[in-house]
Amino acid sequence: MLLLRTRYFNEIICELSLQFGPIFTIFVPFPMVVIADYKALREAFVVKGDEFAGRPDKKVDKRFTFCENQGLMKVQSSALIRYFAIKFKWIRHIPIVKYYVMDRVVEFYDLIMSYIRTNVDQTMDNFDADKEPDCFVHAYAKKLGTSPYLTKEQLYATCYDFFLAGQETTTTTLRWAMLLMAANQDKQDKIRAEILRVVGSSRLPSMADRRDMPYTMATVHEVQRWSNILMMNVSRKTVVDTQVMGFKIPAGTYVDSRSRSNIREFTGIPP
């Protein structure tokens, strides 16, 4: 765990994979299997995806959720601090340490959760079931009650995920898009021509336009691949005993993957 300095995390995982192979275990501080190979990742998450469908369910994860089975996108450093604060309960009796490893983090997450609830509730005040939804909250509201999984708490939880996972990631991806378009202006011209041909200049684009804009969609996917803004994927947990490339992984094991292995390091794609 002490080796996993956040700034060099990707490089360290790469070094460990060269030393120990495509599948190995790190301790953060609980054991976590890391998959750092495209073929192994595909076998685990595509071929055997149902066997890796679990999500982390430690007490520290449940404390900062709206409801059961919420897909929480958590910040690793804060999660690690909270883990120690709950695992080693004596920490809460040290005044200054208690504030920095417990109180401040709890205040931060409670503030975000309150902000999400307030904004969702305000948006719901303008909901009209007879009108076409003009935002995610209204679209979700149309489906409320049609499934035991589509609840108000899950709506809060999903917006919470959007808020945490969609800020820096979206900003960074857009920065990469601007840089790549500036460096490849011939591609930019093709995208502009396709947008003007399909959408025009008199209306906003819609989701239905995507199927008629293959070049633009391919460019969006390539920007996301090239930018490679996440060092690791969202953690999963095995729900049954399984194997990947001959390595046995027991049920209940936390599993993570190195994103670069999936989007850069397989045949046919440049580094």
Side-chain angles (χ1 to χ4, degrees):
M1 182 184 69
L2 296 178
L3 291 174
L4 301 182
R5 297 166 294 174
T6 303
R7 183 177 178 184
Y8 308 106
F9 189 78
N10 187 58
E11 289 81 359
I12 291 172
I13 292 296
C14 182
E15 292 173 4
L16 291 174
S17 67
L18 293 175
Q19 182 177 357
F20 298 107
I23 302 175
F24 54 91
T25 302
I26 59 177
F27 293 83
V28 288
F30 49 85
M32 175 180 287
V33 171
V34 175
I35 300 177
D37 175 83
Y38 170 71
K39 291 182 179 178
L41 189 150
R42 188 178 189 284
E43 179 184 342
F45 296 160
V46 178
V47 178
K48 300 179 178 178
D50 291 343
E51 299 176 6
F52 291 82
R55 290 296 190 194
D57 57 357
K58 291 183 178 295
K59 290 182 179 180
V60 64
D61 297 302
K62 295 178 180 179
R63 168 60 181 85
F64 299 95
T65 60
F66 284 94
C67 54
E68 289 293 326
N69 297 317
Q70 172 182 323
L72 177 65
M73 307 292 185
K74 57 185 180 295
V75 180
Q76 289 297 329
S77 58
S78 296
L80 184 59
I81 291 173
R82 299 197 306 273
Y83 176 84
F84 275 110
I86 293 175
K87 186 72 173 178
F88 305 104
K89 298 183 184 298
W90 51 268
I91 288 178
R92 67 187 63 188
H93 300 297
I94 304 177
I96 297 178
V97 175
K98 175 179 180 292
Y99 172 73
Y100 280 100
V101 303
M102 288 193 64
D103 295 348
R104 202 162 95 173
V105 173
V106 170
E107 289 171 5
F108 172 73
Y109 275 86
D110 285 346
L111 181 63
I112 292 178
M113 295 168 83
S114 175
Y115 175 83
I116 296 297
R117 286 183 183 275
T118 299
N119 278 269
V120 170
D121 291 341
Q122 289 176 350
T123 305
M124 287 292 288
D125 290 340
N126 301 321
F127 173 64
D128 186 342
D130 296 326
K131 293 183 178 180
E132 189 70 18
D134 57 2
C135 66
F136 172 78
V137 172
H138 289 173
Y140 193 105
K142 277 183 167 289
K143 300 293 184 179
L144 276 175
T146 60
S147 164
Y149 301 105
L150 296 175
T151 64
K152 188 72 173 291
E153 293 301 308
Q154 282 289 357
L155 173 58
Y156 292 138
T158 305
C159 291
Y160 178 76
D161 284 351
F162 286 160
F163 186 83
L164 289 186
Q167 295 182 80
E168 186 65 23
T169 52
T170 302
T171 302
T172 304
T173 302
L174 288 174
R175 285 176 175 175
W176 271 104
M178 296 302 103
L179 175 62
L180 293 171
M181 290 300 96
N184 299 273
Q185 294 190 23
D186 57 327
K187 310 298 190 298
Q188 181 182 155
D189 291 339
K190 290 182 179 180
I191 295 169
R192 183 184 294 109
E194 186 176 69
I195 292 174
L196 290 175
R197 177 176 57 81
V198 176
V199 180
S201 58
S202 61
R203 67 175 178 88
L204 294 174
S206 67
M207 294 294 289
D209 294 323
R210 293 180 13 164
R211 64 175 178 269
D212 299 320
M213 303 170 66
Y215 192 85
T216 302
M217 292 306 303
T219 302
V220 170
H221 293 154
E222 179 63 5
V223 167
Q224 293 178 317
R225 184 192 74 82
W226 183 262
S227 57
N228 187 27
I229 62 174
L230 293 177
M231 296 179 290
M232 301 290 282
N233 209 328
V234 178
S235 298
R236 304 192 183 206
K237 186 180 70 171
T238 52
V239 295
V240 296
D241 293 342
T242 186
Q243 290 189 25
V244 177
M245 295 184 72
F247 292 91
K248 295 181 180 180
I249 304 178
T253 301
Y254 282 33
V255 180
D256 214 328
S257 63
R258 180 170 173 258
S259 299
R260 187 183 179 91
S261 302
N262 188 32
I263 61 179
R264 291 282 188 92
E265 296 173 356
F266 59 95
T267 304
I269 299 295

